[in-house]
Amino acid sequence: MGDRYNIFSQMEHLQSKYIGTGHSDTTKWEWLTNQHRDTFSSLIGHYDMMNFVAVAENESKARVKFNMLEKLIQPCGPPPERPEDQ
Amino acid sequence: MFLYSLTLQRASAIIQSIHGNFDGSKQQQIVVARGKILELIKLDPNTGKIYTLLSHEVFGVIRAIMAFRLTGGNKDYVVVGSDSGRIVILEYVASKNAFEKEADSDPTGEGAQNTSQLLTYYELDLGLNHVVRKYSEPLEEHGNFLIAVPGGSDGPSGVLVCSENYITYKNLGDQPDIRMPIPRRRNDLDDPERGMIFVCSTTHKTKSMFFFLAQTEQGDLFKITLETDEDMVTEVRMKYFDTVPVATTMNVLKTGFLFIAAEFGNHYLYQIAHLGDDDDEQEFSSATISRKEKHSSLLPGLSEIWWKLINWKIADLANEDTPQLYVACGRGPKSSMRVLRHGLEVSEMAVSELPGNPNAVWTVKRKAEEEYDAYIIVSFVNATLVLSIGETVEEVTDSGFLGTTPTLSSSLIGDDALLQIYPDGIRHIRADKRVNEWKTPGKKNIVKCAVNQRQVVIALTGGELVYFEMDPTGQLNEYTERKEMSTDVKCMSLASVPSGEQRARFLAVGLDDNTVRIISLDQNDCLQPLSMQALPAPAESLCIVEMGSGSDTREERGEDRGTSGGLFLNIGLQNGVLLRMVLDSVTGDLSDTRTRYLGSRPVKLFRIFMQGSEAVLAMSSRSWLSYWYQSRFHLTPLSYETLEYASGFASEQCPEGIVAISTNTLRILALEKLGAVFNQVSTPLKYSPRKFAVLPDSSNVVVIETDHNAYTETTKAQRKQQMAEEMVEAAGEEDRELAAEMAEAFLKEDQQESEFGSPKAGAGMWASQIRLLNPVQGNTLDTIRLEQNEAAFSLSVCKFNNHPDQTYVLIGTAKDLTMSPRTCSGGIIYTYLVKEEGNEIELIHKTLVDDVPAAICPFQGRVLIGVGKLLRIYDLGKKKLLRKCENKHIPNFIVNVTSVGQRIVVSDVQESLHFVRYKRQENSLVIFADDTYARWVTATCILDYDTVMCADKFGNISVIRLTSSVNDSVDEDPTGIKALWDRGVLSGASQKADPIATFHVGETVLSLQKCTLIPGGSESVVYTTLSGAIGILVPFTSHEDHDFFQHLEMHMRAEYPPLCGRDHISYRSYYFPVKNVIDGDLCEQFNSMESGKQKSVAEELERNPSEVSKKLEDIRTRFAF
């Protein structure tokens, strides 16, 4: 019992430290949103990926970055409404 | 397989740049981050040229750099934020020419970005040494970046928030927000839905004023000033300044230069001609007004090249001895096709014809302290010509030189005397035109001579050496003894006199018996032999130089840089080989021989000055320059015709030039781009090049150019017409005439797209064309424009079995492609017949397909085409291509198809490689093996029948091999049923390929090719990246070598960890663990370590430092340059 409790507190620690650590109640929307945010921030952070996207879209790098930053807010749209009974 | 990775040409894209006084002097420098490289750039305000002082790879992704200065200090430090999770503060130490780590710390929360529409003010409390959140307010629009307004005594403080279409001034307290729209171009062809944003800005601040320069997406620069009234900002003013290429960052320097680090294309340095204060250019202060014509506030300066390398091939289309690199690069209207040749670019300053064929040429100064040369002396078979250098170069007779004899050497000696050595004697011309002559005894002649600032050695026929030295009164005195050599003297060389000393201590003499001897000139053992070196062939020429620390920079540095600096003896052999040896400055011993074959003719050596230090010009059938640059020896050919004799040349116009002779002409040349490996010729293209192919039996190439977000010429003309009509309609009754005039002017006006950028048409708009081009001459033979929204993506030159004697070009296009999610209304494969020996292509037919044909590859007299996720075999028909066979099992989208023998390697856009076998009997394509990792393949290269190298989008290169147990299911499974139905887990193939080497390059690799880069060199794989880097991967041929470099890499990781604190192994293992690849770039940093560390690392390897650097140089020169 003690072990199991301990693991749980470790999970809580991980969840508070790293956004996006899943738990048993993670919804598909939450998971996807984190995936998208991770992807966009990685694209912004790696200069050659920015170049790559900017070349493909034929946009300025500043515009591509701006677009991605905007998308970070709600990459998968607003959260779905939860069914009332849960 | 073990590979060694080396970068040949570093990336040229700039991510960020900052300016400041990094070396503590008054001069401003620029520090640029090129992704994984940190570079310090110096500008010469007089010439407007850019010099790289230091370039250092940090093995990490540099995210941000910033300059800061300690209170009261006069030196700027660089703060670097990188993916290592540390903030590193670097100081540039000029004496060592290195960045030194000052401190690194763990990150604290320093995100001041307003992604959640909140503008938050933070204040750094110096007392608490902490950042305090002051105030936060929501923004109306989402900003894309902030410009800090100088505060305190310099200005009103606050920020300018740049957002889509608007710029807003905000500050704490009572200050009301001031908002103004970003001006737009009048009659813009851009998509009307588009907003406009500023992409970058720079602040210029002097004691009395400050202003900002901000650039829009279209490249227009605006000067922004603030009007203040007692600390309150009353108005934001904006004025059109100029149009320059769209930049990632820019810097205004105190010397009046504007540095533009372009996002794609060349970087520029402009000189600011005027600040636009007093012209009638319209000033914007509130409402949107369209802008006027481009006017120039900037003078164009020098540009530094950067390429976005899309595709390249190595071939000898120009029929030169060495292959050229053909590179398609750039984006949109600034893209180009370039021909790169290995070699230094030579700019020809002057060429003049001489009356005969000269033998030799020298330049002479009048006085030692003078900066520029006064005379050019040209020696012919029986005469000597003296030319004086001034406004023009003309012949003079009053120089004191003897004109009626050939000359062996002429130079300045002592402070202000001139010396001419001719076969019969020595002529010493004092400053007051007194002439002292020394005549050869008897019938002997002077054969060879060596001269420096104070010493003269001559060799008489029969091998007798006579030594002269200058005494303090300026008199040349013969040494009491002469030295008899055993055979004739072939060549001699003296080092320059070290500053502060009376004489150079060594004389090198090359003899007829294939030896070089070092003879002491020290007073204690004058003319005594010190050491001897046997040579494989007779020496043609000798040259002792001091390299590794420039003679003038050395004093500044005040220290010797380990093993690298010192005296070097260069020996040019008659068989065209150049040897370079270290000459011990105490004992005169020769050691550490480096060998390089230069060309077919005997090698002649000349000492010249390059960037303030000595360099050697070596001439064989090609001319080479051996120089020390950025802690490394470079031996680079000059891209110029064969030269015969040369000498350094300094004049006002050309401070570091070369005067050379070639047959009967005298040429003045300058080498400006030291350190550059390639020089280039470029042909502009219209849209971004996607792929190109060389037509066989001709030197022509077919290029496909495609741009998203662009208009074709036809659509552009239509839109212009439409806008002009609207303009007239919109005008009121009385202005109609005026409007019509304006519309007409608008229609006529033709903006240079290479300067102003092309209009952005919006998503889903494609423009594309096919071009037949001769890249060597740079002329376009034919262009085929595709319709709006039809985009060419694939290209292949192939032959068909049913028409074996004809060559066809297949081009795959997509119609109405949208990028995300990928949809299209269909694709077309155009079949062109190559005619007139590659000077013309004729359309045979079009074949409609239902998805994007993104890969075409010839295969056994037919073609393999990847249509979307379908792999098909087509054959040539009368009306169209005929589909013969299809495989539907590739997961997503085929980006590349290559074949070797019976095997076909198919790359999927995100699921790595698939190995396919074509079974002729059943006419089926069977996937018999695939890869275990999901690689987002960008380029592949087949190394052998079982091995493929592939590069992915995230900057990894991997080598994948089919193990010997994999069978292509032909022998054991003749029906192929097993391979067809026996699917592995998750619908993968039943057999798997093994990754045998992986490496993270750090930049997106867009092409891989197996080739030899230098004539006579071994084969290597050459890759190019999107940021413009060119690198190679070479296989180790012996275990001993591999072992050595593996240990060197290991010690380097421990002794010389990356500058920004990123762990080297984790960087090279960014996506996949690094495997079997040794990082040559890290190993080569051995040469820039301090000598103590070099010694300890070398000791661990049981070698001495010079052996280690020789090893490093050897592996590089065996494959590349």
Side-chain angles (χ1 to χ4, degrees):
Chain A
M1 275 301 277
D3 260 6
R4 201 186 289 167
Y5 182 73
N6 198 17
I7 286 170
F8 185 65
S9 81
Q10 274 178 16
M11 286 288 286
E12 267 196 342
H13 175 68
L14 281 177
Q15 275 151 6
S16 66
K17 193 170 172 190
Y18 302 109
I19 302 159
T21 315
H23 51 84
S24 55
D25 290 336
T26 307
T27 62
K28 187 179 174 184
W29 179 87
E30 281 167 357
W31 184 81
L32 267 178
T33 301
N34 279 319
Q35 288 283 317
H36 277 80
R37 283 189 183 148
D38 270 8
T39 307
F40 285 129
S41 47
S42 169
L43 292 179
I44 294 168
H46 289 98
Y47 56 94
D48 244 22
M49 292 310 297
M50 284 289 287
N51 287 340
F52 197 88
V53 178
V55 170
E57 292 187 358
N58 197 13
E59 289 283 0
S60 67
K61 281 199 266 189
R63 168 71 74 170
V64 172
K65 190 173 170 187
F66 180 59
N67 288 347
M68 286 186 184
L69 284 174
E70 290 289 286
K71 280 189 200 158
L72 281 180
I73 301 165
Q74 276 190 340
C76 304
E81 281 178 29
R82 281 165 184 262
E84 285 297 315
D85 53 347
Q86 273 180 14
Chain B
M1 179 160 65
F2 299 103
L3 296 169
Y4 181 76
S5 144
L6 259 184
T7 306
L8 298 184
Q9 169 102 33
R10 55 167 176 58
S12 44
I14 292 178
I15 309 301
Q16 214 181 344
S17 63
I18 49 170
H19 58 281
N21 306 343
F22 299 103
D23 64 353
S25 71
K26 288 267 185 245
Q27 286 239 343
Q28 278 190 320
Q29 291 99 18
I30 299 176
V31 169
V32 298
R34 297 185 189 269
K36 54 178 180 173
I37 296 163
L38 206 57
E39 198 169 292
L40 184 73
I41 291 175
K42 188 183 85 174
L43 300 177
D44 187 336
N46 301 324
T47 57
K49 279 180 186 150
I50 298 177
Y51 299 103
T52 304
L53 290 179
L54 172 66
S55 161
H56 193 101
E57 176 152 5
V58 300
F59 303 104
V61 180
I62 299 170
R63 294 267 156 82
I65 51 173
M66 197 85 129
F68 86 103
R69 179 177 292 212
L70 294 175
T71 324
N74 63 347
K75 185 172 185 177
D76 285 306
Y77 295 82
V78 189
V79 194
V80 186
S82 71
D83 64 344
S84 68
R86 290 158 198 262
I87 291 171
V88 183
I89 297 168
L90 300 171
E91 181 187 4
Y92 174 67
V93 184
S95 63
K96 290 186 190 163
N97 191 23
F99 283 118
E100 293 222 328
K101 211 183 278 186
E102 283 296 301
D104 57 27
S105 60
D106 280 313
T108 53
E110 53 116 31
Q113 274 211 330
N114 51 334
T115 45
S116 56
Q117 305 125 294
L118 281 177
L119 178 69
T120 312
Y121 296 89
Y122 291 90
E123 189 179 66
L124 175 66
D125 192 320
L126 282 171
L128 286 171
N129 197 15
H130 209 284
V131 182
V132 179
R133 189 177 141 161
K134 287 282 281 189
Y135 170 70
S136 142
E137 78 176 291
L139 286 178
E140 278 173 56
E141 261 120 9
H142 292 191
N144 63 324
F145 79 103
L146 305 174
I147 307 171
V149 178
S153 54
D154 297 324
S157 171
V159 285
L160 284 166
V161 182
C162 303
S163 53
E164 199 159 10
N165 292 331
Y166 291 98
I167 182 164
T168 315
Y169 175 78
K170 280 175 179 290
N171 200 359
L172 290 170
D174 304 333
Q175 174 70 48
D177 290 355
I178 299 171
R179 194 166 117 121
M180 78 174 283
I182 299 175
R184 302 189 65 148
R185 292 184 184 176
R186 183 197 297 145
N187 304 331
D188 208 4
L189 287 175
D190 269 11
D191 181 10
E193 303 289 300
R194 275 178 78 90
M196 176 63 68
I197 57 171
F198 277 125
V199 294
C200 65
S201 74
T202 179
T203 310
H204 185 67
K205 193 172 78 178
T206 62
K207 285 197 181 84
S208 54
M209 56 82 133
F210 65 89
F211 66 86
F212 312 99
L213 280 180
Q215 191 183 31
T216 66
E217 260 182 305
Q218 292 174 322
D220 298 336
L221 277 179
F222 289 92
K223 181 180 151 196
I224 304 174
T225 45
L226 300 178
E227 289 293 304
T228 51
D229 181 25
E230 290 178 5
D231 280 0
M232 288 296 254
V233 176
T234 53
E235 201 177 354
V236 179
R237 289 201 174 164
M238 213 185 274
K239 196 161 187 183
Y240 172 67
F241 198 63
D242 205 334
T243 301
V244 295
V246 181
T248 45
T249 55
M250 51 187 183
N251 301 85
V252 181
L253 300 183
K254 290 220 169 75
T255 42
F257 284 97
L258 176 68
F259 178 71
I260 298 278
E263 40 176 29
F264 297 102
N266 296 352
H267 306 306
Y268 289 93
L269 186 68
Y270 293 94
Q271 191 161 19
I272 297 174
H274 60 91
L275 288 174
D277 290 331
D278 43 1
D279 59 6
D280 54 354
E281 183 65 28
Q282 193 165 7
E283 203 159 11
F284 307 108
S285 123
S286 53
T288 309
I289 311 160
S290 63
R291 62 155 263 248
K292 288 183 37 178
E293 296 304 302
K294 173 189 164 81
H295 83 133
S296 223
S297 303
L298 299 171
L299 300 173
L302 207 81
S303 64
E304 189 203 21
I305 283 116
W306 102 260
W307 330 311
K308 175 185 74 83
L309 294 168
I310 300 250
N311 204 331
W312 71 290
K313 290 202 165 57
I314 190 160
D316 187 9
L317 299 184
N319 288 322
E320 296 164 9
D321 304 345
T322 41
Q324 306 92 44
L325 257 65
Y326 291 86
V327 181
C329 57
R331 182 176 84 163
K334 284 195 168 62
S335 52
S336 59
M337 179 90 190
R338 291 172 199 242
V339 187
L340 307 186
R341 290 177 175 88
H342 174 225
L344 273 178
E345 191 174 318
V346 177
S347 33
E348 205 170 64
M349 313 290 279
V351 180
S352 52
E353 286 211 7
L354 292 170
N357 281 14
N359 298 327
V361 64
W362 298 271
T363 50
V364 178
K365 289 179 188 172
R366 228 178 253 121
K367 289 195 176 76
E369 69 268 15
E370 271 178 19
E371 211 174 323
Y372 303 123
D373 290 318
Y375 299 115
I376 296 177
I377 292 142
V378 188
S379 168
F380 295 88
V381 181
N382 54 5
T384 297
L385 186 68
V386 183
L387 307 167
S388 86
I389 307 167
E391 292 280 292
T392 58
V393 173
E394 47 196 41
E395 188 177 348
V396 285
T397 47
D398 61 343
S399 59
F401 284 102
L402 203 60
T404 53
T405 165
T407 303
L408 291 173
S409 159
S410 54
S411 60
L412 175 83
I413 192 155
D415 289 333
D416 51 5
L418 302 175
L419 187 82
Q420 181 187 18
I421 302 176
Y422 55 96
D424 297 327
I426 300 175
R427 194 176 163 91
H428 183 200
I429 308 153
R430 304 291 291 265
D432 49 9
K433 301 273 179 225
R434 270 186 300 147
V435 172
N436 295 341
E437 292 250 15
W438 182 91
K439 293 278 184 195
T440 49
K443 287 194 169 162
K444 286 190 172 178
N445 271 346
I446 300 176
V447 199
K448 295 285 166 194
C449 61
V451 186
N452 64 16
Q453 295 92 320
R454 311 190 65 85
Q455 293 160 293
V456 180
V457 184
I458 54 170
L460 302 177
T461 16
E464 196 175 14
L465 292 187
V466 188
Y467 173 49
F468 299 85
E469 195 177 301
M470 182 170 259
D471 66 12
T473 61
Q475 193 71 34
L476 263 188
N477 294 326
E478 187 184 338
Y479 185 64
T480 46
E481 284 169 47
R482 294 183 180 180
K483 182 153 176 89
E484 201 70 49
M485 301 307 284
S486 51
T487 59
D488 266 346
V489 173
K490 299 290 284 183
C491 46
M492 291 200 289
S493 174
L494 271 172
S496 322
V497 178
S499 59
E501 288 182 39
Q502 279 297 309
R503 61 183 70 84
R505 292 192 44 214
F506 304 111
L507 167 73
V509 185
L511 296 181
D512 221 2
D513 58 355
N514 291 9
T515 57
V516 166
R517 283 154 209 266
I518 303 295
I519 290 169
S520 169
L521 298 178
D522 207 43
Q523 278 193 314
N524 304 323
D525 52 354
C526 198
L527 296 182
Q528 292 307 305
L530 289 174
S531 60
M532 195 263 274
Q533 173 77 41
L535 301 174
E540 167 74 18
S541 171
L542 296 175
C543 184
I544 303 179
V545 287
E546 193 186 345
M547 278 209 266
S549 51
S551 51
D552 58 346
T553 50
R554 189 169 180 173
E555 286 153 39
E556 289 167 25
R557 291 174 187 167
E559 62 177 309
D560 201 310
R561 293 209 64 212
T563 53
S564 38
L567 286 178
F568 290 88
L569 173 65
N570 291 271
I571 307 172
L573 302 184
Q574 279 183 356
N575 62 4
V577 170
L578 174 72
L579 304 178
R580 192 183 74 228
M581 296 174 192
V582 175
L583 177 60
D584 190 299
S585 53
V586 181
T587 61
D589 286 340
L590 294 171
S591 60
D592 193 15
T593 313
R594 311 281 171 98
T595 314
R596 190 79 183 263
Y597 175 72
L598 299 190
S600 50
R601 298 205 336 214
V603 179
K604 283 190 250 174
L605 303 171
F606 306 95
R607 183 190 305 153
I608 58 169
F609 271 87
M610 274 295 141
Q611 297 200 354
S613 57
E614 287 184 335
V616 180
L617 194 64
M619 287 178 183
S620 177
S621 52
R622 246 180 133 178
S623 308
W624 298 65
L625 185 71
S626 163
Y627 58 105
W628 178 262
Y629 184 74
Q630 290 190 356
S631 323
R632 196 163 80 77
F633 271 109
H634 291 253
L635 183 62
T636 317
L638 306 186
S639 291
Y640 200 68
E641 50 198 279
T642 312
L643 299 173
E644 280 148 33
Y645 203 97
S647 173
F649 175 80
S651 77
E652 214 167 327
Q653 291 84 20
C654 174
E656 274 181 347
I658 296 170
V659 56
I661 49 179
S662 168
T663 61
N664 67 337
T665 52
L666 186 72
R667 291 154 194 251
I668 296 173
L669 312 171
L671 309 173
E672 282 157 357
K673 293 180 182 149
L674 285 191
V677 187
F678 299 106
N679 74 80
Q680 50 185 323
V681 187
S682 118
T683 316
L685 302 178
K686 190 163 170 57
Y687 307 114
S688 309
R690 298 278 160 161
K691 282 190 179 110
F692 71 95
V694 180
L695 294 181
D697 313 320
S698 77
S699 54
N700 297 339
V701 296
V702 181
V703 193
I704 48 174
E705 302 163 36
T706 301
D707 262 337
H708 177 238
N709 204 355
Y711 292 118
T712 58
E713 284 299 316
T714 335
T715 331
K716 213 183 290 170
Q718 278 171 6
R719 262 194 65 80
K720 267 187 149 180
Q721 188 66 44
Q722 193 187 340
M723 280 177 75
E725 279 163 20
E726 277 168 17
M727 216 186 280
V728 179
E729 268 168 39
E733 203 53 56
E734 57 271 33
D735 317 327
R736 189 141 288 178
E737 211 161 295
L738 192 69
E741 257 172 51
M742 273 172 65
E744 197 154 327
F746 167 64
L747 284 176
K748 271 189 198 150
E749 152 185 75
D750 186 25
Q751 283 194 333
Q752 280 292 312
E753 288 197 352
S754 56
E755 207 171 319
F756 289 99
S758 54
K760 305 269 190 241
M765 299 288 273
W766 295 84
S768 182
Q769 68 177 26
I770 301 160
R771 185 193 292 257
L772 183 66
L773 177 80
N774 184 331
V776 180
Q777 283 154 14
N779 54 339
T780 300
L781 302 169
D782 196 6
T783 42
I784 300 150
R785 294 196 177 122
L786 299 180
E787 282 171 33
Q788 180 75 42
N789 297 352
E790 183 173 0
F793 284 106
S794 57
L795 162 77
S796 178
V797 176
C798 35
K799 289 197 174 201
F800 288 95
N801 267 350
N802 45 14
H803 294 90
D805 47 348
Q806 277 168 337
T807 311
Y808 294 89
V809 177
L810 262 58
I811 290 161
T813 66
K815 291 206 80 159
D816 304 318
L817 184 70
T818 54
M819 297 233 262
S820 172
R822 184 175 45 242
T823 57
C824 77
S825 68
I828 302 172
I829 300 158
Y830 290 82
T831 310
Y832 287 94
L833 175 65
V834 178
K835 290 166 77 180
E836 310 273 333
E837 292 165 338
N839 288 323
E840 202 185 308
I841 52 174
E842 185 195 302
L843 181 67
I844 304 291
H845 49 61
K846 297 179 184 180
T847 312
L848 297 180
V849 288
D850 38 17
D851 208 340
V852 187
I856 306 179
C857 166
F859 180 69
Q860 299 180 347
R862 301 196 277 187
V863 284
L864 282 162
I865 301 183
V867 179
K869 57 185 276 191
L870 309 171
L871 178 66
R872 287 177 181 165
I873 293 181
Y874 279 91
D875 205 345
L876 187 70
K878 282 236 157 39
K879 292 271 172 63
K880 59 178 198 167
L881 293 172
L882 308 170
R883 181 173 13 159
K884 296 291 180 189
C885 179
E886 185 179 80
N887 180 309
K888 297 178 176 167
H889 297 293
I890 307 293
N892 300 298
F893 184 73
I894 297 170
V895 287
N896 194 357
V897 180
T898 47
S899 73
V900 53
Q902 296 288 326
R903 283 181 182 170
I904 302 158
V905 182
V906 180
S907 332
D908 185 72
V909 70
Q910 66 180 73
E911 297 223 12
S912 194
L913 305 180
H914 297 262
F915 295 85
V916 181
R917 169 89 194 208
Y918 176 61
K919 300 174 71 68
R920 193 171 291 276
Q921 275 85 23
E922 293 86 41
N923 188 30
S924 63
L925 289 161
V926 179
I927 302 173
F928 66 93
D930 61 12
D931 187 17
T932 42
Y933 291 106
R935 298 176 212 275
W936 296 59
V937 181
T938 52
T940 53
C941 170
I942 291 180
L943 301 183
D944 64 33
Y945 195 61
D946 292 321
T947 320
V948 184
M949 185 179 270
C950 74
D952 74 24
K953 196 166 136 177
F954 305 104
N956 304 298
I957 290 183
S958 337
V959 181
I960 290 163
R961 176 172 286 172
L962 294 173
T963 52
S964 51
S965 61
V966 170
N967 67 60
D968 10 10
S969 64
V970 174
D971 310 327
E972 290 172 22
D973 178 23
T975 55
I977 302 289
K978 189 162 167 272
L980 197 61
W981 300 107
D982 176 22
R983 301 243 69 95
V985 282
L986 298 172
S987 72
S990 53
Q991 305 181 88
K992 296 291 172 191
D994 275 351
I996 55 168
T998 43
F999 186 70
H1000 180 68
V1001 175
E1003 288 162 8
T1004 307
V1005 175
L1006 286 187
S1007 70
L1008 288 169
Q1009 195 182 348
K1010 190 166 77 166
C1011 60
T1012 47
L1013 279 178
I1014 47 169
S1018 314
E1019 245 185 2
S1020 56
V1021 176
V1022 183
Y1023 64 81
T1024 57
T1025 73
L1026 187 59
S1027 288
I1030 301 176
I1032 54 171
L1033 289 159
V1034 301
F1036 282 107
T1037 43
S1038 74
H1039 270 290
E1040 194 194 337
D1041 269 4
H1042 172 247
D1043 202 51
F1044 169 79
F1045 282 105
Q1046 197 162 34
H1047 281 96
L1048 177 61
E1049 189 190 31
M1050 190 183 80
H1051 289 298
M1052 288 301 296
R1053 278 180 188 145
E1055 290 290 324
Y1056 202 65
L1059 197 61
C1060 287
R1062 181 88 162 114
D1063 180 38
H1064 178 260
I1065 295 188
S1066 25
Y1067 177 66
R1068 291 301 184 193
S1069 312
Y1070 219 119
Y1071 293 82
F1072 305 108
V1074 61
K1075 188 176 181 189
N1076 293 348
V1077 182
I1078 286 164
D1079 185 0
D1081 296 332
L1082 180 71
C1083 292
E1084 286 200 345
Q1085 288 194 350
F1086 177 84
N1087 291 328
S1088 43
M1089 283 204 298
E1090 53 218 64
S1091 61
K1093 275 191 174 172
Q1094 281 190 353
K1095 274 211 186 84
S1096 76
V1097 169
E1099 259 165 36
E1100 296 273 352
L1101 297 165
E1102 294 168 354
R1103 280 164 211 264
N1104 60 38
S1106 64
E1107 282 173 346
V1108 176
S1109 30
K1110 184 181 176 183
K1111 274 260 188 202
L1112 287 167
E1113 197 180 300
D1114 275 355
I1115 195 158
R1116 184 180 261 269
T1117 51
R1118 205 181 311 148
F1119 295 95
F1121 357 94

